[in-house]
Amino acid sequence: MEYQYPISMDWSTQEVIDVIQFFEAVEKAYEKGVEREVLLERYRRFKKIVPGKADERNVCNQFEEASGYSPYRTVKKMKEEQSPVIKVR
């Protein structure tokens, strides 16, 4: 599937890379599972770049509309489960 990741022109090159890595972890959680620690680390970095709830919701909704993968559901599952691999169905 071809789609573009939502990015802000205000982000540095490294911040864009970090946000994309978070979205790639979300994709992996849907496709084959992602290590909980990797997802947690990438989510924490994402939150440093996008700290506001409204901004987070906006960026994540754009990603979900483009990809069909829900960062919200993925992070929720990560917080609820303590399993070493997070798999979203």
Side-chain angles (χ1 to χ4, degrees), residues 38-65:
V38 170
L39 180 60
L40 182 59
E41 177 184 315
R42 291 186 180 174
Y43 178 64
R44 285 180 177 154
R45 178 65 181 136
F46 173 78
K47 285 302 294 172
K48 287 182 180 178
I49 299 165
V50 187
K53 279 285 190 193
D55 291 335
E56 177 185 4
R57 193 175 309 121
N58 185 32
V59 171
C60 288
N61 284 344
Q62 288 176 31
F63 174 73
E64 186 173 355
E65 287 176 22

